[in-house]
Amino acid sequence: MNSKNLERAYDYLLSSNVVDKHTIDDALEKSKKDNLDIFDILIDKKTADERELTKVKAAFLGVPYIKLKDEIIDSEILKKIPEKAALFYKFIPFGENDGTVNVAMLDPNNTEALDALKFISIRHKTNTKIYLVSRSDFYDAVKQYKKVDDELENVLKNVDQQIISKEQNLKKETGSRKIERITGEAPVSKIVNIVLTHAVEGRASDIHIEPNENELRVRYRLDGTLHNSLVLPKKITPAITSRIKILANLKIDETRKPQDGRFRFTLSKEGNLGKSVDLRVSTFPTVNGEKVVMRILDTSSNISTLENLGIWKNGLRIINDNISKPFGIVLVTGPTGSGKSTTLYAMMKILNKEGVNVVTLEDPVEYFMVGINQSQIRSEIGYTFSSGLRSILRQDPDIIMVGEIRDKETAELATHAALTGHLVLSTLHTNNAIGVIPRLIDMGVEPFLISSSLNIAIAQRLVKKICSHCKKEMPASLSMEKIIRKELENVPDDQKSDFNIKKGLKLFHGEGCKECKQSGFSGRIGVYEVLLMTPELESIMSSNISDAEISKEAERQGMVTMKQDGIMKVLSGLTTIEEVLRVTEE
């Protein structure tokens, strides 16, 4: 970028208000020194939302911006530019209008890429229209070249309408004959095997198989975000669904109601032979057919420790102290998918000793633990959390884990169990630890029972971890420093002693590499807050219960909030400030 364009870009960025002036000034100096694009410098530093910066760059260049996140690109469009060329020149076709192919590029000023695109256009006898795309959206889009690989294409050639008809006709068959026939349909089994294998090898946590109007879409959830993976012909939807239902022991002829099941899958590809995972299956009827979601539970991985989950310092001490008590309630709260069950399993790992009887009620049982009596509730036959909890109390338990407190009856039973000498672990849906007490009161539990039985309330969220393979240090912008210093003001000194916030702050980000699939993140870690039941809090509950009073007591006892805990994990190089703000300011 020449000096004239650089000055124009600088002024353009200032007027956009996407990044603060101090950060832009730093990027300007680096651009002059190293002859780099000022926009690329800001995007590399992750000083603002990447897509917002890309929009500003697109407006500056006079090129239209395209957001490709979660966009499904037709396989015929992708064939117009080979995958190797797309990766080398950093452009990808994503659509076609009136004979003009729309192409998303990372750098519309790259003359070499433009020449290559011109050559491809001449070869295909078509025109092209260039769009600017963000880096993360580009690499997500490139993954769609893999969506129907050679192995899958070869399988699909053998799946015709005759096989689909056979699968549908199986509804008339019963018992072992039906299982034998479905298992014997090699093409369908092969497709399901490919879907499962790709998910497990890609470290996905969930598989979504979604029938749309014209296709069957497969998406994988990785580090909390859904990514497009495969696009299959719509006509094979009944066959794929039937195969998964048989594996999960579900009713193949019931398509009107949701069903839940489970099965074990062993990878058979070379190098992974013997690795087994459990899959929790849920089917759901939609207007386009049955949607299937499978949660992957890796039984070969050990249950994590509290420390590895991200619980540390004072929070770890409080939790260890309170799960060591012979009675009381320990509640973990947060939205669905925030890792509450994993935290409970980590606690049970500590508590699982020969001299105690640990009994659980779960929906569903996610991990099997040797030495613990785990029970799966079944609402359809009246075996619920509340009815199961009554039965558990007749099983001479020392420690009880209830998957979730959903209603007044379960809340009251859990409270009475804690008051009669049992340690009860459970989960609740509230936004933070302070909200646990009002939520229990709303359920109908008397305040004096809560103050007598509740030991601690833990709130948590999950943030993405920076990839250790491409982690790089970066200076904090003025806006970031302001957020960090403000949040850490009220954190007790012993909790933030590891961080010297008086000097310039250094943060980290992932540049993107092969190991993290260019995302800059790999895995997730929790951010936590732990509220302790103290005599002061008991006093508040006996008189004037309000969120404000509970918050004051939380501050008095030195509770580190989830946001503050996340900020300290940012300074430790575990995650980014954008991730922390995303989950704590929703």
Side-chain angles (χ1 to χ4, degrees):
M1 185 177 287
N2 60 44
S3 58
K4 185 176 180 181
N5 282 337
L6 183 57
E7 293 300 330
R8 283 183 54 240
Y10 175 81
D11 293 337
Y12 210 90
L13 281 162
L14 284 177
S15 63
S16 70
N17 293 321
V18 173
V19 189
D20 61 77
K21 184 178 184 300
H22 176 73
T23 304
I24 299 172
D25 288 341
D26 289 345
L28 178 65
E29 292 303 314
K30 186 171 178 59
S31 179
K32 290 177 178 178
K33 179 182 176 183
D34 300 333
N35 194 27
L36 297 172
D37 186 289
I38 189 170
F39 291 99
D40 290 342
I41 292 170
L42 291 169
I43 290 171
D44 286 340
K45 285 186 173 184
K46 299 185 183 291
T47 52
D49 183 82
E50 181 190 352
R51 292 189 181 91
E52 291 301 316
L53 275 171
T54 305
K55 285 180 186 177
V56 176
K57 183 177 180 179
F60 171 73
L61 295 175
V63 176
Y65 166 81
I66 183 67
K67 178 185 175 184
L68 291 183
K69 181 177 172 57
D70 295 331
E71 287 291 323
I72 298 174
I73 304 174
D74 189 277
S75 56
E76 293 302 314
I77 296 294
L78 287 175
K79 288 177 182 178
K80 295 184 180 294
I81 296 179
E83 181 183 2
K84 289 184 178 179
L87 285 169
F88 184 81
Y89 294 111
K90 304 296 186 294
F91 53 49
I92 186 171
F94 64 90
E96 188 172 16
N97 294 317
D98 299 326
T100 298
V101 177
N102 299 323
V103 180
M105 297 186 72
L106 285 186
D107 184 7
N109 290 327
N110 185 331
T111 55
E112 189 178 358
L114 292 172
D115 288 342
L117 188 59
K118 184 178 180 181
F119 174 78
I120 292 171
S121 301
I122 293 172
R123 189 179 67 181
H124 286 285
K125 297 179 180 180
T126 184
N127 296 320
T128 57
K129 183 177 180 179
I130 295 172
Y131 292 76
L132 187 67
V133 66
S134 70
R135 192 179 303 169
S136 59
D137 281 8
F138 171 77
Y139 283 108
D140 271 348
V142 167
K143 294 175 188 175
Q144 296 194 48
Y145 278 105
K146 304 291 186 184
K147 65 184 177 182
V148 183
D149 59 14
D150 292 339
E151 182 183 14
L152 190 57
E153 281 192 357
N154 291 333
V155 174
L156 288 174
K157 287 177 183 178
N158 298 317
V159 181
D160 54 18
Q161 193 58 46
Q162 183 180 3
I163 288 179
I164 302 221
S165 299
K166 286 181 181 179
E167 291 283 341
Q168 292 172 327
N169 289 335
L170 289 172
K171 295 177 182 178
K172 302 174 182 179
E173 301 179 15
T174 59
S176 60
R177 185 184 173 201
K178 176 171 68 177
I179 295 175
E180 182 182 350
R181 287 278 303 279
I182 288 184
T183 305
E185 299 292 0
V188 174
S189 300
K190 186 87 173 187
I191 292 173
V192 173
N193 187 73
I194 291 170
V195 168
L196 297 178
T197 300
H198 285 186
V200 175
E201 290 183 342
R203 298 182 297 105
S205 61
D206 300 86
I207 306 168
H208 289 240
I209 299 176
E210 304 166 323
N212 294 325
E213 186 176 356
N214 300 312
E215 63 195 11
L216 181 65
R217 180 172 66 166
V218 179
R219 294 196 289 172
Y220 297 148
R221 187 177 295 279
L222 180 63
D223 295 336
T225 304
L226 279 171
H227 298 274
N228 292 320
S229 179
L230 311 174
V231 176
L232 303 171
K234 176 67 180 294
K235 64 181 182 180
I236 71 170
T237 300
I240 296 295
T241 306
S242 297
R243 172 62 180 160
I244 294 171
K245 281 184 172 182
I246 288 298
L247 290 172
N249 198 28
L250 302 178
K251 294 179 181 178
I252 193 173
D253 56 344
E254 179 56 81
T255 60
R256 300 165 301 169
K257 296 191 302 183
Q259 297 186 69
D260 295 306
R262 185 173 184 145
F263 69 93
R264 177 163 291 186
F265 173 69
T266 302
L267 272 71
S268 57
K269 293 188 79 172
E270 186 178 354
N272 290 302
L273 188 62
K275 178 179 172 63
S276 295
V277 296
D278 282 353
L279 290 110
R280 192 179 80 201
V281 180
S282 172
T283 66
F284 184 76
T286 72
V287 292
N288 291 313
E290 284 186 282
K291 180 179 189 289
V292 179
V293 174
M294 292 180 278
R295 166 68 57 88
I296 300 172
L297 307 170
D298 190 349
T299 55
S300 64
S301 61
N302 294 322
I303 294 172
S304 189
T305 63
L306 293 174
E307 293 92 332
N308 289 340
L309 293 178
I311 304 174
W312 54 8
K313 298 184 184 266
N314 197 44
L316 180 62
R317 180 188 59 78
I318 293 173
I319 291 173
N320 282 327
D321 287 347
N322 282 273
I323 63 174
S324 300
K325 293 180 178 179
F327 58 86
I329 300 178
V330 174
L331 285 177
V332 183
T333 182
T336 301
S338 60
K340 300 186 298 294
S341 297
T342 304
T343 301
L344 290 180
Y345 277 110
M347 292 180 191
M348 288 194 293
K349 183 179 180 180
I350 298 171
L351 298 169
N352 186 16
K353 298 175 182 177
E354 187 175 344
V356 296
N357 178 21
V358 184
V359 188
T360 74
L361 272 177
E362 303 177 56
D363 183 25
V365 176
E366 294 194 11
Y367 294 98
F368 298 108
M369 297 183 70
V370 177
I372 290 181
N373 304 288
Q374 297 172 269
S375 182
Q376 164 79 51
I377 73 162
R378 298 192 181 279
S379 302
E380 67 274 13
I381 60 172
Y383 183 44
T384 62
F385 281 124
S386 55
S387 63
L389 190 49
R390 285 196 190 90
S391 299
I392 280 180
L393 292 173
R394 294 191 287 270
Q395 287 287 312
D396 186 31
D398 297 291
I399 299 164
I400 301 169
M401 194 278 269
V402 182
E404 183 183 344
I405 294 177
R406 298 175 179 172
D407 51 45
K408 177 182 179 181
E409 188 176 9
T410 308
E412 288 182 338
L413 285 168
T415 301
H416 287 296
L419 292 173
T420 53
H422 304 89
L423 180 64
V424 180
L425 311 177
S426 191
T427 69
L428 202 64
H429 282 288
T430 64
N431 290 328
N432 50 38
I434 291 167
V436 165
I437 293 170
R439 176 73 177 126
L440 289 173
I441 293 173
D442 287 344
M443 281 185 170
V445 183
E446 293 293 340
F448 74 90
L449 291 177
I450 298 172
S451 62
S452 302
S453 60
L454 182 64
N455 289 353
I456 52 171
I458 306 163
Q460 68 178 83
R461 298 289 189 278
L462 292 177
V463 294
K464 296 178 184 178
K465 287 178 66 178
I466 297 172
C467 174
S468 59
H469 296 278
C470 60
K471 182 164 73 172
K472 298 292 181 185
E473 190 178 287
M474 58 179 279
S477 66
L478 288 176
S479 58
M480 288 180 178
E481 283 202 17
K482 185 178 179 181
I483 293 171
I484 291 170
R485 296 186 192 282
K486 181 181 178 182
E487 285 301 322
L488 296 186
E489 274 180 4
N490 297 323
V491 174
D493 291 337
D494 62 329
Q495 298 293 295
K496 58 184 179 184
S497 58
D498 294 342
F499 314 108
N500 187 357
I501 60 174
K502 294 181 180 178
K503 295 184 178 180
L505 301 177
K506 291 184 179 179
L507 309 183
F508 297 86
H509 73 282
E511 291 190 323
C513 64
K514 182 180 178 182
E515 294 295 327
C516 62
K517 299 179 175 60
Q518 305 299 329
S519 68
F521 297 99
S522 180
R524 290 187 289 177
I525 193 169
V527 292
Y528 297 84
E529 61 186 33
V530 183
L531 178 66
L532 177 65
M533 181 59 69
T534 59
E536 291 81 1
L537 186 52
E538 288 185 26
S539 176
I540 291 169
M541 294 184 64
S542 65
S543 55
N544 181 30
I545 302 175
S546 69
D547 287 354
E549 290 298 317
I550 299 173
S551 296
K552 284 181 183 178
E553 165 55 20
E555 187 175 343
R556 186 205 64 78
Q557 63 180 247
M559 185 187 83
V560 175
T561 66
M562 285 184 288
K563 191 172 184 180
Q564 291 167 344
D565 184 48
I567 293 294
M568 288 191 285
K569 286 182 170 71
V570 168
L571 295 176
S572 298
L574 294 172
T575 187
T576 65
I577 194 165
E578 291 84 4
E579 269 296 290
V580 172
L581 297 179
R582 177 181 66 83
V583 301
T584 58
E585 295 186 352
E586 290 175 340

